[in-house]
Amino acid sequence: MLRFHQGGCRIVYEADIVDFFGTVNIDRLLQGIVFPKLSDPSLNTLIKAAFEMEIGNKKDLPQEDWELYPESSSGLPQGGYLSPLFSNIYLATFDHRMLQEGFRLIRYADDFIVMCETIEEAGRAYDLSREILEKNLGLKLHPRDDNNHEARTRIIRVSQTLIQFLGIQFNGSRIWPAAEKRQKLSQKMGKLEYSIGSLSKPPNLVAAIPGD
């Protein structure tokens, strides 16, 4: 992102896919992309079973984590070990097409930005990405709104708007972690420190005196 910006790309098209993991077409992913490329079909059943595996102790997890392990058979489980790999496989055609058309795409899972030199170039990137994702892959982008700083899909000028992407912020010259990410990390470390401290304390023991 910094390298493209230094090369003259001051316009950014940033986008996010609506409920990406929950809306991936598993049949298209496995039957149309993955299985035809595997020389050993004995892996097919294992891969399919990994996507359909349920969490046995789901009620023991914090409720905010439940959505990471959906009970339906559609989509990729967001908390699954294979989901990051197969999300990249599913979006590989999107990557190739965008790069073939000369766009400077930066993507991680369902979040991506395109660094552009002009507003017109960013508009073409938006049109092409929407065509590939919605018509070819059955996904949907969040509505575009260039005037809303909270919009998940928009086209902005770096010199006028702060970019936030993958937990970092960028103002055209400096990159630093986003404030909410630092706070979240601090809270997690605080909980971890408390847990470790509790485990390090000796248990309360009651001495048993013989004959007492």
Side-chain angles (χ1 to χ4, degrees), residues 67 69 136 148 156 203:
E67 61 182 16
Y69 305 94
N136 300 345
N148 182 1
I156 58 175

Side-chain angles (χ1 to χ4, degrees), residues 168-187:
I168 63 97
Q169 292 179 323
F170 178 58
N171 64 359
S173 60
R174 189 167 65 92
I175 294 177
W176 68 96
E180 59 267 28
K181 294 297 181 180
R182 296 199 305 269
Q183 182 179 5
K184 188 175 181 179
L185 176 61
S186 177
Q187 291 174 348

